[in-house]
Amino acid sequence: MFVWVNLAMMTTNQIRKKFLDFFASKGHSVIESDSLVPKEDSTVLFTTAGMQQFKRQFLGRIDGYTKATTSQKCLRTDDLEEVGKTDFHHTFFEMLGNFSFGDYFKRDAIGWAWEFLTKELHIPMEKLWVSVYKDDKEAKEIWLNDIKIEACKLVELGDYSNFWPADAKEKGPNGPCGPCSEIFYDYGENEKCSNSNCNPDCDCGRFCEIWNLVFTQFNRQEGGALESLPSKNIDTGMGLERLVAVMQGKKNNFNTDVFAPILAAVEEYIEQGKYILELRDKRIIADHMRAIVFGINDGVIPSNEGRGYVMKKLIIDITDIILQAGLTQSTVHKLVPAVVEAMKEPYPELMDKANDIVGIICKVEESYIKVRQERVPEFEAQAKDIQSSEKLGDLIFTFRDTYGLTVSTIQKMLKGLHFSTEELEKAWQCFDQLMKRQQEQSRASSKMTGDVFTGMALDLDIPKTKFLGYECVKNTAKVSRLFVGNQKVEEVQQGQTVQVILDQTSFYAESGGQVGDTGSISSRQGKICIQDTQKIDAVFIHHGIVEKGILKVNDEVEVIVDEDKRLAIMRNHTATHILQAALRKVLGAHVKQQGSLVDQDRLRFDFTHHKALTKEQIRDIEDFVNDAVLSCDGVTKEVLSIEEARESGALAFFAEKYGDTVRVVSIGDYSKEFCGGTHLDSTGQIGLFKIIGESAIAQGIRRLEAKTGTRALVYVKEQEQKLEHIAKILKVPVNELVERVNMQTKRTKQLEKEVENLRFAAIKNSVETISEQAETLGETKIITHTFKDLDMGTLRKVADLLKKKVNSFVIVLGAFTQENASIFVVVSDDMIKKGIKANVLIDELAPMINGSGGGRPQMAQAGSKEMDKVGAAVQKAKNLMMEKI
Ligand SMILES: [Zn+2]
Ligand SMILES: [Zn+2]
């Protein structure tokens, strides 16, 4: 049995606050949680640890404070399968941490951790155990002599669990690393544990790690030698949910106060007293909801790639759980208010965004529900004809990867089919292989990794790159680092894919929506063709392929940016700023930027607005921008202190972190934004601005796409060619097109009507025959017939004619044209009394043509696109009636 010591009940909010207050009292700056989307680092998918936002300080670039504390929002996707299974895995969680950048070290870190747990939270000393790294004599001495922990409660652990990064000593990577010391809570002896020496290394569940203190004191050299770091750092992490579970006397994190409102909402909106979910599923929903709400709140829009894909997958996974439980309506979004309720105290911004979040989730779940409705029957139909496991594996892959059905949905469908267990096993193996191949491909094409530090950033002494690209597109520079893969090398040669770091560069690195520059870097001995430029912090990384010769570290090189392409990018970037001003002018000040992409071909701008834009609005926006272009307004760029910039009224977007100074880009008297991008000097250089698309990407978020300069001109020319093509077909000059098309349309309508009349006249003649040939049961006629090339309107008229011929009848008529299939049913009053109803009959027939229908007992109709199924449906109706009457 686990035994808990009764601790004073503290809420999650109280515990979080207590932690931050405690470290503030020890001289730490309390820093706000960074966004889940790390703004300065495009190589990382999500924020996964507290120290991530302190990478600069960690690498020795101190501005301001040397001690910090945070409660950091984190999102991890690597343990997705474990969520709900264990007591403590989450996708979204909060990490409490205290950090020292060359300030205090082990003695204070350990002392304060102990003080916080035992004096502030009053956890009894005897419930706490600790671990130290086996070779860390210093930490061991502090625990035993300073803290005076009982020797039996201190364990020494090895390279895997008590060194950061794990096993770094043996296997690398090179760079900062160090031993850890962990603090464990003892839930009490576990009867099921057979280990006579049960300690924190035992996995019976008795011990739970609550705090990890990392002492970053070494710089690992090539070959594994550990060199002492001149400036030592402290990085600690304590999972808030875990700590709260301990403090509230719970074993499972989901039983704590922060999950209670969310689980209550799951019961209220999903279970509703009739749909029963498994406990694990409820916990998965509660976990994923927090990840979804915070992810969208921090600007991630569900999509098919990168971060957006993670959001979409989480929403779909829980939609699937809900549908499998038997619900048919979209429900996930109804849980949002409960998450907001649980988390609004530390994150009040959730309250403003709640409606947008609801809308975005709703859209994803509704479209998934639709996908399921369409694809599930399709999958079953196709799977029925499959004989080989390989083919089935292919099919599963297509429906999983292309159409987005979840694995559990597919598993469920397969259960009802003819496959044996072995066949299914083999099919899933094929599927796994296809998935793996696909993941490898997408990994290769993605620059994102899950690591906090890429191999490169672990190299401590890379100097910042000086950026010259605001003034020039060419410069000379010195090669400071070369990498092949993530390995540092001294020399690169023809054919290799390489990363180059220079002391200074004119290449713009991707950020703020503007793509990285391309071009070349060449020395006397060789040339590298640069295909992309990225940056980590202030280090610019040029990605490219060695076109010829060799290049070495310390080479003098000539750096040349592809100037035409850069100019095209700048046209689009400056135009994006004017577009933003235009949107606020035309649509209103509620327009907020949600994201943008600027490359050489086009610009894309996402913003908050609740309705589709009208043609007039789009025209007004385009006019605003082109007026600005025509007046050749100056574009000024200045670096201001953050206070000056805010006072100037410049627009700043996202919860971005800015340094002490910011760059402000102003255009005319209508645009002023914080922006690090490269811009034109005059709006006149844009040449021409043309909007080419307007769409919704989520509820409340619209997307505009536009082109500028020569690209806009090309677009206009293409449109012109299309007009000329149409004019040629119609054999009129372009300026007479409208008149001609109007006339043609009128003429077509008239002809259609004539054809319809002729056809009806012909049918009229055959009505007599149809009526005579119909089955007769006593007084009642069962009239069924299927017509070719007839629409619903004419079908009604035919039915009216037939009705007049008899008193007691059931008439079922089918018809199809090139585009539509229709069924029309009329029943006489005496038959209704006998229980034959048109609307009941149509409910049976509509599914046969995969359509929908409805009506009254006297008359009902159904329509669909399945023209070839009408005949069979009408025949079926006849048989049904014969049986019934
Ligand atoms: Zn044990
Ligand atoms: Zn900008």
Side-chain angles (χ1 to χ4, degrees):
M1 260 309 286
F2 291 109
V3 180
W4 286 282
V5 171
N6 204 0
L7 300 164
M9 184 72 157
M10 266 191 253
T11 65
T12 301
N13 288 335
Q14 287 167 336
I15 293 170
R16 187 192 298 105
K17 186 167 183 303
K18 234 178 168 43
F19 180 87
L20 298 175
D21 288 349
F22 175 78
F23 280 99
S25 79
K26 304 289 181 195
H28 290 60
S29 299
V30 179
I31 307 296
E32 231 176 87
S33 170
D34 197 11
S35 161
L36 280 177
V37 178
K39 286 287 167 351
E40 288 299 316
D41 192 344
S42 57
T43 60
V44 175
L45 205 51
F46 291 108
T47 301
T48 57
M51 51 82 75
Q52 220 160 316
Q53 71 161 317
F54 300 114
K55 240 156 103 170
R56 305 158 52 97
Q57 288 85 344
F58 201 79
L59 295 172
R61 296 181 195 125
I62 306 296
D63 32 27
Y65 51 82
T66 53
K67 295 196 276 281
T69 184
T70 58
S71 175
Q72 174 64 48
K73 298 178 275 186
C74 300
L75 209 159
R76 288 186 191 171
T77 51
D78 34 6
D79 290 326
L80 212 50
E81 296 306 314
E82 299 298 317
V83 173
K85 250 190 219 170
T86 69
D87 291 334
F88 52 85
H89 278 101
H90 297 293
T91 47
F92 174 87
F93 58 95
E94 290 172 276
M95 185 74 99
L96 302 172
N98 55 293
F99 308 91
S100 155
F101 316 113
D103 192 300
Y104 62 90
F105 201 50
K106 282 180 202 177
R107 201 166 299 272
D108 282 332
I110 292 175
W112 287 335
W114 192 254
E115 184 184 339
F116 179 70
L117 294 175
T118 58
K119 301 267 162 53
E120 291 289 318
L121 298 186
H122 304 290
I123 299 178
M125 262 185 258
E126 55 273 21
K127 300 299 285 179
L128 298 173
W129 289 52
V130 299
S131 70
V132 294
Y133 178 60
K134 60 182 171 44
D135 299 335
D136 191 356
K137 303 274 176 295
E138 191 187 355
K140 188 175 172 185
E141 181 270 325
I142 296 170
W143 279 116
L144 293 174
N145 299 338
D146 274 24
I147 306 293
K148 303 203 181 338
I149 194 159
E150 288 174 77
C152 64
K153 288 196 171 139
L154 181 142
V155 290
E156 295 181 15
L157 298 176
D159 283 285
Y160 179 70
S161 43
N162 274 37
F163 204 83
W164 181 88
D167 285 331
K169 238 169 104 180
E170 282 278 309
K171 299 174 187 158
N174 297 336
C177 60
C180 317
S181 179
E182 296 166 308
I183 304 175
F184 298 83
Y185 182 78
D186 178 3
Y187 274 104
E189 260 175 58
N190 183 349
E191 284 170 347
K192 285 182 195 138
C193 178
S194 54
N195 190 345
S196 59
N197 183 26
C198 183
N199 69 28
D201 207 17
C202 178
D203 55 9
C204 68
R206 168 177 169 181
F207 294 96
C208 123
E209 180 203 323
I210 50 177
W211 206 338
N212 188 10
L213 317 177
V214 182
F215 314 125
T216 318
Q217 65 187 107
F218 301 118
N219 187 17
R220 185 191 192 268
Q221 304 290 305
E222 194 61 54
L226 298 181
E227 184 186 81
S228 195
L229 271 177
S231 156
K232 297 176 174 55
N233 299 319
I234 290 291
D235 159 23
T236 87
M238 174 155 62
L240 175 63
E241 292 78 5
R242 198 80 207 105
L243 178 66
V244 170
V246 166
M247 291 301 293
Q248 298 184 351
K250 310 288 188 206
K251 190 93 203 307
N252 188 299
N253 294 4
F254 290 99
N255 291 337
T256 61
D257 72 317
V258 74
F259 284 101
I262 310 174
L263 288 165
V266 170
E267 261 172 45
E268 181 180 351
Y269 294 107
I270 299 173
E271 293 193 307
Q272 303 171 39
K274 52 185 173 180
Y275 304 104
I276 305 305
L277 293 180
E278 282 180 28
L279 183 61
R280 175 166 185 217
D281 286 338
K282 285 196 241 188
R283 288 176 173 170
I284 290 175
I285 295 173
D287 169 86
H288 289 11
M289 276 315 293
R290 296 207 312 162
I292 295 162
V293 168
F294 275 93
I296 298 176
N297 183 56
D298 282 353
V300 186
I301 305 291
S303 71
N304 289 329
E305 52 191 12
R307 302 177 178 116
Y309 177 73
V310 174
M311 284 300 120
K312 187 170 166 185
K313 178 175 162 37
L314 293 175
I315 298 172
I316 285 180
D317 281 354
I318 57 182
T319 305
D320 219 41
I321 292 175
I322 291 172
L323 295 178
Q324 289 187 7
L327 277 84
T328 53
Q329 302 290 319
S330 61
T331 316
V332 179
H333 63 276
K334 293 185 184 157
L335 306 174
V336 172
V339 180
V340 175
E341 188 54 37
M343 305 300 291
K344 70 181 180 194
E345 192 178 311
Y347 306 102
E349 68 274 16
L350 288 176
M351 290 185 281
D352 300 334
K353 285 269 200 79
N355 279 336
D356 288 345
I357 297 171
V358 165
I360 289 168
I361 294 175
C362 199
K363 196 157 175 182
V364 177
E365 42 172 347
E366 275 171 1
S367 76
Y368 178 68
I369 291 172
K370 211 168 143 233
V371 163
R372 244 183 83 121
Q373 277 165 352
E374 281 169 13
R375 301 296 177 185
V376 164
E378 204 174 304
F379 179 88
E380 283 171 340
Q382 290 189 28
K384 260 183 207 144
D385 299 330
I386 283 181
Q387 299 303 335
S388 87
S389 297
E390 285 79 28
K391 287 238 171 74
L392 184 61
D394 273 348
L395 188 75
I396 297 174
F397 178 73
T398 307
F399 277 78
R400 170 78 196 97
D401 193 62
T402 314
Y403 302 141
L405 287 183
T406 61
V407 166
S408 68
T409 302
I410 297 175
Q411 275 168 338
K412 219 172 164 191
M413 286 190 286
L414 287 171
K415 263 186 203 154
L417 296 172
H418 61 275
F419 302 101
S420 69
T421 319
E422 295 80 60
E423 283 172 324
L424 285 179
E425 216 165 90
K426 232 171 126 193
W428 282 108
Q429 279 167 9
C430 295
F431 165 78
D432 285 341
Q433 275 167 10
L434 289 168
M435 274 314 269
K436 219 190 224 161
R437 198 180 309 155
Q438 202 252 20
Q439 276 163 1
E440 273 159 20
Q441 278 164 359
S442 67
R443 206 170 298 141
S445 68
S446 163
K447 285 172 219 117
M448 292 197 218
T449 65
D451 299 330
V452 174
F453 288 92
T454 63
M456 248 173 266
L458 280 169
D459 184 342
L460 256 188
D461 332 300
I462 300 184
K464 284 188 196 177
T465 311
K466 192 170 169 207
F467 179 58
L468 309 172
Y470 290 137
E471 291 87 31
C472 43
V473 286
K474 255 182 226 167
N475 66 285
T476 55
K478 205 171 93 178
V479 176
S480 53
R481 292 286 186 283
L482 288 168
F483 295 89
V484 173
N486 266 342
Q487 295 303 311
K488 202 161 110 181
V489 294
E490 289 301 313
E491 180 186 304
V492 294
Q493 32 186 294
Q494 192 172 333
Q496 281 183 317
T497 300
V498 301
Q499 290 97 44
V500 188
I501 294 170
L502 306 171
D503 61 342
Q504 52 180 11
T505 185
S506 300
F507 279 79
Y508 181 82
E510 179 177 330
S511 61
Q514 180 177 336
V515 295
D517 277 333
T518 59
S520 67
I521 295 176
S522 33
S523 71
R524 279 205 204 108
Q525 287 82 32
K527 181 177 178 191
I528 304 173
C529 174
I530 300 301
Q531 295 154 327
D532 191 15
T533 311
Q534 297 282 322
K535 67 176 175 185
I536 296 177
D537 201 9
V539 176
F540 285 51
I541 304 154
H542 306 80
H543 294 259
I545 292 176
V546 185
E547 204 174 273
K548 60 172 193 238
I550 54 166
L551 280 98
K552 293 189 186 128
V553 171
N554 289 330
D555 273 359
E556 292 285 336
V557 290
E558 196 178 6
V559 177
I560 303 175
V561 175
D562 181 335
E563 202 176 342
D564 287 345
K565 193 171 153 191
R566 162 70 89 75
L567 242 170
I569 295 170
M570 283 165 40
R571 281 192 197 99
N572 283 335
H573 199 152
T574 302
T576 305
H577 285 217
I578 309 176
L579 172 63
Q580 165 130 282
L583 286 167
R584 292 167 70 87
K585 175 93 190 299
V586 175
L587 303 177
H590 63 278
V591 168
K592 282 208 186 71
Q593 174 172 346
Q594 292 294 309
S596 75
L597 176 76
V598 173
D599 64 21
Q600 67 274 23
D601 289 323
R602 73 202 162 127
L603 64 94
R604 199 174 81 188
F605 190 76
D606 301 338
F607 57 98
T608 46
H609 185 61
H610 285 275
K611 274 191 294 227
L613 273 59
T614 63
K615 287 264 175 289
E616 291 71 37
Q617 286 170 331
I618 291 178
R619 198 196 51 213
D620 289 348
I621 291 162
E622 223 172 60
D623 286 351
F624 182 104
V625 180
N626 282 315
D627 283 348
V629 171
L630 286 176
S631 48
C632 291
D633 294 318
V635 182
T636 57
K637 305 108 191 174
E638 46 190 343
V639 175
L640 300 176
S641 76
I642 193 111
E643 292 81 27
E644 286 173 320
R646 287 237 161 84
E647 271 165 32
S648 76
L651 290 176
F653 290 97
F654 304 109
E656 263 186 76
K657 297 230 162 187
Y658 296 100
D660 295 337
T661 59
V662 290
R663 190 161 172 270
V664 173
V665 176
S666 320
I667 310 173
D669 58 359
Y670 42 82
S671 167
K672 203 180 261 277
E673 287 186 39
F674 286 28
C675 179
T678 58
H679 283 271
L680 305 168
D681 294 319
S682 162
T683 57
Q685 292 167 279
I686 292 172
L688 173 64
F689 172 84
K690 188 88 195 88
I691 292 174
I692 59 164
E694 194 270 346
S695 57
I697 55 163
Q699 174 129 353
I701 299 178
R702 313 291 307 177
R703 166 171 293 175
L704 274 179
E705 287 177 90
K707 288 180 180 277
T708 60
T710 49
R711 260 69 165 197
L713 201 58
V714 168
Y715 176 80
V716 171
K717 278 185 184 154
E718 280 167 5
Q719 302 296 312
E720 209 173 55
Q721 276 166 7
K722 280 181 200 160
L723 275 183
E724 278 161 9
H725 189 82
I726 299 169
K728 205 172 153 198
I729 295 172
L730 293 174
K731 298 197 177 70
V732 289
V734 169
N735 57 11
E736 287 171 27
L737 260 183
V738 175
E739 210 177 314
R740 171 57 69 94
V741 170
N742 269 335
M743 204 182 79
Q744 298 266 59
T745 314
K746 245 188 228 161
R747 178 89 186 115
T748 309
K749 275 204 185 116
Q750 203 182 342
L751 287 173
E752 273 170 359
K753 207 159 179 198
E754 277 172 31
V755 170
E756 208 52 63
N757 288 341
L758 285 172
R759 202 169 276 153
F760 185 60
I763 289 168
K764 236 169 157 177
N765 294 332
S766 62
V767 161
E768 200 69 43
T769 334
I770 292 171
S771 171
E772 272 163 21
Q773 285 170 354
E775 301 282 346
T776 312
L777 291 171
E779 297 288 293
T780 311
K781 284 225 166 195
I782 313 293
I783 304 176
T784 56
H785 196 84
T786 304
F787 299 93
K788 209 181 140 200
D789 292 329
L790 211 65
D791 61 14
M792 182 69 87
T794 322
L795 205 56
R796 278 166 175 270
K797 287 198 220 159
V798 178
D800 280 343
L801 284 180
L802 284 165
K803 262 163 70 177
K804 287 181 190 140
K805 306 256 168 215
V806 278
N807 291 325
S808 174
F809 54 82
V810 177
I811 303 174
V812 181
L813 300 180
F816 54 91
T817 63
Q818 304 246 332
E819 292 109 34
N820 294 309
S822 351
I823 296 178
F824 193 71
V825 182
V826 216
V827 178
S828 59
D829 289 341
D830 62 320
M831 294 312 289
I832 295 173
K833 280 185 196 129
K834 287 185 187 158
I836 310 284
K837 288 178 182 149
N839 54 342
V840 176
L841 186 53
I842 209 81
D843 283 344
E844 263 183 82
L845 301 180
M848 291 186 66
I849 58 168
N850 274 330
S852 56
R856 297 171 288 116
Q858 288 81 5
M859 190 163 72
Q861 64 186 57
S864 83
K865 302 270 168 207
E866 311 236 348
M867 283 71 85
D868 55 334
K869 292 184 175 146
V870 178
V874 171
Q875 185 60 39
K876 168 91 187 282
K878 183 176 175 182
N879 299 342
L880 271 174
M881 288 305 107
M882 301 300 286
E883 277 166 33
K884 272 197 186 151
I885 301 174

PDB file of all heavy atoms in Angstrom, residues 565-577:
ATOM      1  N   LYS A 565      16.478  38.166 -56.986  1.00  0.00           N
ATOM      2  CA  LYS A 565      15.551  37.462 -56.110  1.00  0.00           C
ATOM      3  C   LYS A 565      15.321  38.266 -54.833  1.00  0.00           C
ATOM      4  O   LYS A 565      14.198  38.428 -54.366  1.00  0.00           O
ATOM      5  CB  LYS A 565      16.152  36.089 -55.786  1.00  0.00           C
ATOM      6  CG  LYS A 565      15.172  35.159 -55.160  1.00  0.00           C
ATOM      7  CD  LYS A 565      15.754  33.769 -55.061  1.00  0.00           C
ATOM      8  CE  LYS A 565      15.087  33.065 -53.907  1.00  0.00           C
ATOM      9  NZ  LYS A 565      15.753  31.809 -53.573  1.00  0.00           N
ATOM     10  N   ARG A 566      16.425  38.810 -54.285  1.00  0.00           N
ATOM     11  CA  ARG A 566      16.310  39.604 -53.059  1.00  0.00           C
ATOM     12  C   ARG A 566      15.389  40.813 -53.292  1.00  0.00           C
ATOM     13  O   ARG A 566      14.550  41.157 -52.462  1.00  0.00           O
ATOM     14  CB  ARG A 566      17.693  40.035 -52.610  1.00  0.00           C
ATOM     15  CG  ARG A 566      17.681  41.210 -51.630  1.00  0.00           C
ATOM     16  CD  ARG A 566      17.128  40.844 -50.264  1.00  0.00           C
ATOM     17  NE  ARG A 566      18.200  40.379 -49.424  1.00  0.00           N
ATOM     18  CZ  ARG A 566      19.096  41.180 -48.868  1.00  0.00           C
ATOM     19  NH1 ARG A 566      19.015  42.483 -49.050  1.00  0.00           N
ATOM     20  NH2 ARG A 566      20.053  40.686 -48.136  1.00  0.00           N
ATOM     21  N   LEU A 567      15.535  41.462 -54.452  1.00  0.00           N
ATOM     22  CA  LEU A 567      14.703  42.632 -54.746  1.00  0.00           C
ATOM     23  C   LEU A 567      13.227  42.235 -54.813  1.00  0.00           C
ATOM     24  O   LEU A 567      12.356  42.932 -54.302  1.00  0.00           O
ATOM     25  CB  LEU A 567      15.133  43.226 -56.087  1.00  0.00           C
ATOM     26  CG  LEU A 567      15.669  44.649 -56.015  1.00  0.00           C
ATOM     27  CD1 LEU A 567      16.285  45.031 -57.337  1.00  0.00           C
ATOM     28  CD2 LEU A 567      14.587  45.635 -55.589  1.00  0.00           C
ATOM     29  N   ALA A 568      12.965  41.082 -55.444  1.00  0.00           N
ATOM     30  CA  ALA A 568      11.586  40.593 -55.543  1.00  0.00           C
ATOM     31  C   ALA A 568      11.033  40.332 -54.140  1.00  0.00           C
ATOM     32  O   ALA A 568       9.874  40.639 -53.842  1.00  0.00           O
ATOM     33  CB  ALA A 568      11.529  39.326 -56.390  1.00  0.00           C
ATOM     34  N   ILE A 569      11.868  39.773 -53.266  1.00  0.00           N
ATOM     35  CA  ILE A 569      11.437  39.516 -51.892  1.00  0.00           C
ATOM     36  C   ILE A 569      11.133  40.834 -51.179  1.00  0.00           C
ATOM     37  O   ILE A 569      10.130  40.976 -50.487  1.00  0.00           O
ATOM     38  CB  ILE A 569      12.531  38.736 -51.115  1.00  0.00           C
ATOM     39  CG1 ILE A 569      12.736  37.347 -51.719  1.00  0.00           C
ATOM     40  CG2 ILE A 569      12.186  38.641 -49.636  1.00  0.00           C
ATOM     41  CD1 ILE A 569      13.947  36.600 -51.168  1.00  0.00           C
ATOM     42  N   MET A 570      12.020  41.832 -51.388  1.00  0.00           N
ATOM     43  CA  MET A 570      11.824  43.118 -50.724  1.00  0.00           C
ATOM     44  C   MET A 570      10.549  43.817 -51.196  1.00  0.00           C
ATOM     45  O   MET A 570       9.846  44.441 -50.415  1.00  0.00           O
ATOM     46  CB  MET A 570      13.054  44.004 -50.933  1.00  0.00           C
ATOM     47  CG  MET A 570      14.166  43.559 -50.004  1.00  0.00           C
ATOM     48  SD  MET A 570      15.843  44.139 -50.322  1.00  0.00           S
ATOM     49  CE  MET A 570      15.699  45.797 -50.804  1.00  0.00           C
ATOM     50  N   ARG A 571      10.253  43.702 -52.486  1.00  0.00           N
ATOM     51  CA  ARG A 571       8.996  44.280 -52.991  1.00  0.00           C
ATOM     52  C   ARG A 571       7.818  43.686 -52.223  1.00  0.00           C
ATOM     53  O   ARG A 571       6.913  44.389 -51.798  1.00  0.00           O
ATOM     54  CB  ARG A 571       8.815  43.939 -54.481  1.00  0.00           C
ATOM     55  CG  ARG A 571       9.606  44.797 -55.388  1.00  0.00           C
ATOM     56  CD  ARG A 571       9.153  44.599 -56.842  1.00  0.00           C
ATOM     57  NE  ARG A 571      10.189  45.116 -57.700  1.00  0.00           N
ATOM     58  CZ  ARG A 571      11.110  44.365 -58.297  1.00  0.00           C
ATOM     59  NH1 ARG A 571      11.061  43.055 -58.222  1.00  0.00           N
ATOM     60  NH2 ARG A 571      12.054  44.918 -59.013  1.00  0.00           N
ATOM     61  N   ASN A 572       7.873  42.366 -52.060  1.00  0.00           N
ATOM     62  CA  ASN A 572       6.769  41.705 -51.367  1.00  0.00           C
ATOM     63  C   ASN A 572       6.722  42.062 -49.889  1.00  0.00           C
ATOM     64  O   ASN A 572       5.655  42.199 -49.304  1.00  0.00           O
ATOM     65  CB  ASN A 572       6.874  40.181 -51.542  1.00  0.00           C
ATOM     66  CG  ASN A 572       6.408  39.757 -52.925  1.00  0.00           C
ATOM     67  OD1 ASN A 572       5.609  40.455 -53.557  1.00  0.00           O
ATOM     68  ND2 ASN A 572       6.914  38.641 -53.411  1.00  0.00           N
ATOM     69  N   HIS A 573       7.887  42.232 -49.278  1.00  0.00           N
ATOM     70  CA  HIS A 573       7.874  42.547 -47.851  1.00  0.00           C
ATOM     71  C   HIS A 573       7.339  43.962 -47.596  1.00  0.00           C
ATOM     72  O   HIS A 573       6.467  44.172 -46.759  1.00  0.00           O
ATOM     73  CB  HIS A 573       9.260  42.359 -47.223  1.00  0.00           C
ATOM     74  CG  HIS A 573       9.197  42.216 -45.732  1.00  0.00           C
ATOM     75  ND1 HIS A 573      10.109  41.520 -44.991  1.00  0.00           N
ATOM     76  CD2 HIS A 573       8.290  42.677 -44.831  1.00  0.00           C
ATOM     77  CE1 HIS A 573       9.776  41.558 -43.714  1.00  0.00           C
ATOM     78  NE2 HIS A 573       8.667  42.264 -43.594  1.00  0.00           N
ATOM     79  N   THR A 574       7.856  44.933 -48.351  1.00  0.00           N
ATOM     80  CA  THR A 574       7.359  46.304 -48.171  1.00  0.00           C
ATOM     81  C   THR A 574       5.862  46.364 -48.494  1.00  0.00           C
ATOM     82  O   THR A 574       5.084  47.002 -47.782  1.00  0.00           O
ATOM     83  CB  THR A 574       8.162  47.282 -49.058  1.00  0.00           C
ATOM     84  OG1 THR A 574       9.545  47.171 -48.698  1.00  0.00           O
ATOM     85  CG2 THR A 574       7.705  48.718 -48.860  1.00  0.00           C
ATOM     86  N   ALA A 575       5.455  45.643 -49.538  1.00  0.00           N
ATOM     87  CA  ALA A 575       4.035  45.618 -49.894  1.00  0.00           C
ATOM     88  C   ALA A 575       3.197  45.003 -48.768  1.00  0.00           C
ATOM     89  O   ALA A 575       2.059  45.426 -48.529  1.00  0.00           O
ATOM     90  CB  ALA A 575       3.823  44.834 -51.188  1.00  0.00           C
ATOM     91  N   THR A 576       3.749  44.021 -48.058  1.00  0.00           N
ATOM     92  CA  THR A 576       3.019  43.404 -46.947  1.00  0.00           C
ATOM     93  C   THR A 576       2.704  44.444 -45.863  1.00  0.00           C
ATOM     94  O   THR A 576       1.619  44.468 -45.304  1.00  0.00           O
ATOM     95  CB  THR A 576       3.848  42.253 -46.330  1.00  0.00           C
ATOM     96  OG1 THR A 576       4.193  41.346 -47.357  1.00  0.00           O
ATOM     97  CG2 THR A 576       3.060  41.519 -45.275  1.00  0.00           C
ATOM     98  N   HIS A 577       3.687  45.324 -45.591  1.00  0.00           N
ATOM     99  CA  HIS A 577       3.441  46.364 -44.589  1.00  0.00           C
ATOM    100  C   HIS A 577       2.332  47.315 -45.047  1.00  0.00           C
ATOM    101  O   HIS A 577       1.467  47.691 -44.259  1.00  0.00           O
ATOM    102  CB  HIS A 577       4.727  47.155 -44.315  1.00  0.00           C
ATOM    103  CG  HIS A 577       5.720  46.398 -43.473  1.00  0.00           C
ATOM    104  ND1 HIS A 577       6.505  47.006 -42.515  1.00  0.00           N
ATOM    105  CD2 HIS A 577       6.048  45.089 -43.435  1.00  0.00           C
ATOM    106  CE1 HIS A 577       7.286  46.097 -41.935  1.00  0.00           C
ATOM    107  NE2 HIS A 577       7.027  44.925 -42.486  1.00  0.00           N
TER     108      HIS A 577
END
